Amino acid sequence: MNTYFVIAAAVVSLLMAFGLYRKNAAIKVTDPRMSEIAGYIHEGAMAYLKRQYMVMAAFAAVMFIFLALILNIQTALCFLLGALFSVAAGFSGMMSATRANVRTAQKAKDGMASALNVAFSGGAVLGLCVVGLGALGIAVLYIVFDGNNDILTGFSLGASSIALFARVGGGIYTKAADVGADLVGKVEAGIPEDDPRNPAVIGDNVGDNVGDVAGMGADLFESYVGAVLSSLLLAAGNAARIGLTFQLVAVGIVASLIGVLVVKTVKNGDPHKILNIGTYLASAILLVAAFFLCRAVDDGLKLFGAIASGIVAGVAIGFITEVYTSDKYKHVKHIAQQSETGAATTILSGFAVGLKSTGLPILLIVAAVVLSSLLAGLYGVALAAVGMLATVGITISVDAYGPVADNAGGIAEMSGMPHEIREITDSLDAVGNTTAAIGKGFSIGSAALTALALFNSYAQAIDLGTINLLDAKVVAGIFIGGMLVFLFCALTTESVSRAAQKMIEEVRRQFREIPGILEGKAKPDYARCVDISTSAALREMILPGVIAIAAPLACGLLLGAEALAGLLVGGTVVGVPMAIMMSNAGGAWDNAKKYIEGGAHGGKGSDAHKAAVTGDTVGDPFKDTSGPALNILIKLMSIVALVFVPLFL
Amino acid sequence: MNTYFVIAAAVVSLLMAFGLYRKNAAIKVTDPRMSEIAGYIHEGAMAYLKRQYMVMAAFAAVMFIFLALILNIQTALCFLLGALFSVAAGFSGMMSATRANVRTAQKAKDGMASALNVAFSGGAVLGLCVVGLGALGIAVLYIVFDGNNDILTGFSLGASSIALFARVGGGIYTKAADVGADLVGKVEAGIPEDDPRNPAVIGDNVGDNVGDVAGMGADLFESYVGAVLSSLLLAAGNAARIGLTFQLVAVGIVASLIGVLVVKTVKNGDPHKILNIGTYLASAILLVAAFFLCRAVDDGLKLFGAIASGIVAGVAIGFITEVYTSDKYKHVKHIAQQSETGAATTILSGFAVGLKSTGLPILLIVAAVVLSSLLAGLYGVALAAVGMLATVGITISVDAYGPVADNAGGIAEMSGMPHEIREITDSLDAVGNTTAAIGKGFSIGSAALTALALFNSYAQAIDLGTINLLDAKVVAGIFIGGMLVFLFCALTTESVSRAAQKMIEEVRRQFREIPGILEGKAKPDYARCVDISTSAALREMILPGVIAIAAPLACGLLLGAEALAGLLVGGTVVGVPMAIMMSNAGGAWDNAKKYIEGGAHGGKGSDAHKAAVTGDTVGDPFKDTSGPALNILIKLMSIVALVFVPLFL
């Protein structure tokens, strides 16, 4: 019964996404220059997706055969479906975002409220598709396989595999283009950001979509599916608890839909506040509904406590992230001030802010874990994760609004829109930076809870009653898991460097070889730069991807199931603060630079500004490549362990 | 009986230290300018130590009363003795180093070999005092308290407390002076490094001693004592095993003495190779001796395997560190090359090198832990730690040679010595940079094994048969322990920034207000800068220190003994890779800068050089403050847990 509620809610969500997409698509773009530029971005994005899908298809085929041989055909089919649904969600999001960007710029002519509305709808398509497809997939498979949740782990593995491609590849893509565009364009040639004379500028705008739309969506799709699945597994056959999980999923979708509608209804006010209303409202609805739903289940109040701890932690982590990364608070101002003594002090102060910002989020995660498990054991932790993620539909909508607004700003700039229009797109973009930072904090927090819930599912599946910290192999596993995080960060950082280097050479070449390019008389070869990012992303993704999948398998087979449990904990315990640090340091550097550009400490062109630009460039792969990639690493390792449990028995 | 061997070896070690000190002191310094500058450094160092000892005395008094009330008077007395012995070792090292520096410069007139000999003797005094006093203290207390090892934990806590002051305070001191001197002197005023016109230059030279002599010595004193103590505890009353531990200590001292003598005997050849011979020889002697000693004990071959794993891991980690931080290998060259595209790529590539460099050392530590515990259980891990640390006498001697050579270079520069002399001191200094980096790698590796051995001792003392990773409180503890590492790094980094800021203001003020200072006609007020570093170090140390002691206590009392076990593991598992990363990234940036200064990528003054200087400045607190401070954090938390076990029962 409950599964049908989920299916109904999911279908409504998908229909609404379709409606929003159609409505946005119907908006006419009147400016031909705008259309042209948006066309490049859209084509670039599609070119990337097309090549990525080919790689994914090959990977999925191999994995399918592997799963079918090692485990069973059902799990392999679930894997395929999980991958397919994640791809579908990401593709819809990309289609929407790369159409909404130019229409946001177009609608900025009618004022802030209209533009916000279009940009938000553009993002909401992704949010609604993620929850719609995620929930639909799980509910249908639950019915088809008659509650055999072990098989459903395949669905989660499919989602994780796509997330690996989308988040890691996307992260490399976007920062190769961004860093490359900045280092030659801004620093060497002295032309502004988003200048159409820069050959890498289209790649940079495509990158925003590839990383922050497709990548982020796949990341949260994975978390969402993983949390729900582990909740089903840890309910351990208890029908009431399984029912409660599905009810929360259904209610969460409805709450997200209401949130989306409310944001679209409010016409006046600060955009950031309007977006916040949607998130907070959805959380509040879920909280109240969960209370009543839990009353029907044994130990209901305890279960409610577990759910509530997840909801509260999610909202609180978002808020804390804002404090550390927004220029309204002291931390970013401090970094800006430290930029006066040069780039070294910018880096050190930003790094320290990032490190410090891990404290409260970790304590919140710890509190949620301890509380939920005291109240409801291993199942409790999974419930907390579901609580945090049930309303992810609205969270993603707000989050994906960011790159749409960012693109809109770029398009307005490149097509030479008048100052008033650019002022509107710029202020929407600024809001997007903050929501993106908040979204990143939320992604990490939810990845942590999901990974722990999956870890618990793994321990239950393998029937490890105790995993003893005094067993040297467990400690070894923890160390190795932690070390993998460092290695993963090193690899992704170096990937960006290498790819950016190629981009730099290409941009320099074009500046050198295409006559009249810097005078704006000749058109740069955008496609070539897009192609460099695409190839680099797909190539550079392989090694980190292999490590994420092979390491847990190798550890489990060589050192045993307990060591693998250690590896999962080590990966999470090192990966979560590392991801928070990188994400927040990157966000803080970015906003410190913007704060200076707003006129503080000498404003644009000052020495402080130069130092802040260096900080921002360092922060780019921190916050958009390595940091987010860690979310994937910790979840993917957990789901690999869970799926391949039969091998370690 | 074995304890008397230890006492004899320790006394010989101390006598030899005294002999080396006297022999160095007898060398006449003929140049009055050299004498004057060395006098400033010596006075500055003593002024710092004097104030630090006052703070330490107050802290020790409070702690003594606390221990006497909460535990017992014997433990409190052991604590006092541990603190006193550590202070004595550090003080001897400082007295020696601040006399050997100028005499190394003096002896450089007679050629490389003479200068190397003096500098190495200057460092060896610290090395021999550390092992002499450490071993003496443990052996005497073992006899006095008739093998009641629980009481001896007080000695280890005393050592740890002093290490906290010496390493954290010292790290802040040295980098406040260094960063302050560089940012105003080199960057703003454009005067070279080690220029006597820079008011912070004496503070910078004092800082080398305060950080790399006193701090490093106290750090390894703590590891040495902790490893031996946990080996005694985990022998769990088995007389043969206790005897073996003491035998290893005695043989290790003798091996170190032989190593020192050999280094002092070799007259010709590459200084780096000569120093390496000493380390490798001592390790080889210990390895062979351990094999024969183990034959007399039950399961001797297994115990030997555990010891050997520690010895091999220690040597191998040192070598790996060199690969990542020396400009002879590709990593440093890569950073130098990346400096051509500006500071951002310098930072990113160095950060990636640091991250990557954690892989092999962690695998070596894991291998040593797994192997030693498979062979000999919890006792095996402690034996591995003893194996790694038994020859620390020669390791410290080589390590402490670095700051002596560095100071010698500074003194030669400041007193305007002729080019040939400076060439000799410069090349000795370059060797010192490499040995210092190797020493840091070794410090971290040994801290990791010591912390794990202490963790095992804690688990045994509290009689925790299993610490279950599926217990949410254990996971919570691991998360909190890991987060504390990030917090600790943030605090120490910010401390350096704040202190450096004060230094910058003071140097600017002196340049502004003292007429003729930049023309070299007026003398800067060195003492004022020394005082700023001193005050800052002592003040900024408080918060991290309080956290390191209070956090394990609070966790144990509030969340229980299992959660505290988790905290110790979390701290170690996050702290070790973090310390390796910071230390190696810092070392690599430093040497990339030196590599460019050697003429690569445009040499001094080029844009690549400017970028590399930024990297070096970021790396300074990484490698000399935050990184090494983590060694203390992980060991101190473990020993606090162990000492206060009665509170958590």
Side-chain angles (χ1 to χ4, degrees), chain A residues 363, chain B residues 477 480-485 487-488 543-560 563-568 571 633 636-638 640-641 644 648:
Chain A
L363 287 181
Chain B
I480 293 173
M483 179 268 277
L484 285 175
V485 169
L487 203 60
F488 204 76
L543 186 59
V546 168
I547 288 176
I549 295 172
L553 284 177
C555 178
L557 292 172
L558 296 175
L559 293 172
L564 176 50
L567 180 137
L568 300 183
L633 177 73
L636 183 56
M637 293 201 303
S638 300
V640 166
F644 290 100
F648 313 133

Side-chain angles (χ1 to χ4, degrees), chain A residues 410-421:
Chain A
I411 293 170
E413 175 85 29
M414 285 187 270
S415 57
M417 286 293 109
H419 184 69
E420 317 85 71
I421 308 267

Side-chain angles (χ1 to χ4, degrees), chain A residues 356 373 467-469 472 494, chain B residues 356 373 467-470 472 494:
Chain A
K356 212 161 45 173
S373 88
I467 303 165
N468 192 357
L469 259 191
E494 291 192 332
Chain B
K356 211 162 43 171
S373 87
I467 304 165
N468 192 355
L469 259 189
L470 291 174
E494 290 192 334

Side-chain angles (χ1 to χ4, degrees), chain A residues 17 20 96 119-129 260 393 396-398 400-401:
Chain A
L20 291 176
S96 169
F120 177 72
S121 291
V125 170
L126 177 70
L128 299 177
C129 284
V260 169
I396 297 176
S397 303
V398 172
Y401 147 87

Side-chain angles (χ1 to χ4, degrees), chain B residues 237-602:
Chain B
N238 181 324
R241 290 184 168 196
I242 290 175
L244 178 63
T245 303
F246 280 121
Q247 286 160 6
L248 288 171
V249 169
V251 168
I253 294 177
V254 174
S256 292
L257 291 175
I258 296 173
V260 169
L261 288 174
V262 167
V263 170
K264 286 191 66 66
T265 313
V266 180
K267 291 283 173 227
N268 294 311
D270 174 18
H272 185 38
K273 283 199 184 123
I274 297 176
L275 294 171
N276 271 349
I277 289 173
T279 313
Y280 292 150
L281 179 67
S283 298
I285 293 173
L286 179 69
L287 198 68
V288 173
F291 179 74
F292 289 102
L293 291 173
C294 286
R295 286 177 62 171
V297 186
D298 286 344
D299 283 333
L301 214 59
K302 287 185 178 174
L303 300 184
F304 173 70
I307 298 166
S309 75
I311 299 175
V312 172
V315 173
I317 288 174
F319 176 71
I320 292 163
T321 308
E322 191 181 342
V323 171
Y324 281 100
T325 58
S326 155
D327 64 6
K328 277 184 284 179
Y329 300 91
K330 66 175 179 179
H331 303 289
V332 169
K333 288 192 179 122
H334 175 68
I335 298 172
Q337 186 255 314
Q338 287 285 308
S339 299
E340 291 205 341
T341 36
T345 38
T346 308
I347 300 292
L348 284 172
S349 55
F351 189 65
V353 165
L355 289 167
K356 211 162 43 171
S357 74
T358 61
L360 291 175
I362 297 276
L363 287 181
L364 281 165
I365 292 168
V366 163
V369 169
V370 170
L371 194 69
S372 61
S373 87
L374 280 180
L375 291 169
L378 299 185
Y379 175 63
V381 177
L383 265 191
V386 171
M388 195 184 266
L389 283 155
T391 54
V392 80
I394 179 80
T395 316
I396 297 176
S397 302
V398 172
D399 205 354
Y401 147 87
V404 174
D406 191 348
N407 259 232
I411 292 170
E413 174 85 28
M414 284 187 272
S415 57
M417 287 291 110
H419 184 67
E420 315 86 70
I421 308 268
R422 296 220 314 263
E423 216 160 56
I424 289 177
T425 55
D426 278 359
S427 65
L428 289 179
D429 183 14
V431 172
N433 276 325
T434 309
T435 58
I438 295 173
K440 273 176 198 126
F442 177 84
S443 300
I444 301 162
S446 62
L449 275 191
T450 303
L452 287 174
L454 288 170
F455 163 73
N456 287 341
S457 310
Y458 163 78
Q460 178 186 279
I462 212 154
D463 202 14
L464 292 168
T466 54
I467 304 165
N468 192 355
L469 259 189
L470 291 174
D471 178 347
K473 280 199 263 178
V474 173
V475 172
I478 299 182
F479 263 106
I480 293 173
M483 179 268 277
L484 285 175
V485 169
F486 278 66
L487 203 60
F488 204 76
C489 283
L491 291 174
T492 47
T493 307
E494 290 192 334
S495 294
V496 171
S497 296
R498 261 194 304 271
Q501 209 66 44
K502 287 218 177 69
M503 191 65 81
I504 289 170
E505 281 157 25
E506 172 61 21
V507 175
R508 281 186 187 151
R509 186 196 67 77
Q510 292 199 20
F511 281 161
R512 205 172 50 233
E513 294 181 6
I514 301 178
I517 185 171
L518 274 172
E519 293 77 39
K521 288 177 194 152
K523 220 182 75 178
D525 186 353
Y526 299 130
R528 187 81 171 256
C529 288
V530 167
D531 190 61
I532 286 175
S533 257
T534 303
S535 311
L538 296 175
R539 191 179 48 247
E540 295 288 350
M541 224 206 57
I542 297 172
L543 186 59
V546 168
I547 288 176
I549 295 172
L553 284 177
C555 178
L557 292 172
L558 296 175
L559 293 172
E562 284 89 356
L564 176 50
L567 180 137
L568 300 183
V569 169
T572 306
V573 123
V574 179
V576 173
M578 196 74 159
I580 296 174
M581 183 276 279
M582 298 188 101
S583 176
N584 289 353
W589 276 317
D590 190 353
N591 282 331
K593 183 198 71 176
K594 294 217 170 79
Y595 180 69
I596 292 177
E597 285 173 352
H601 304 290

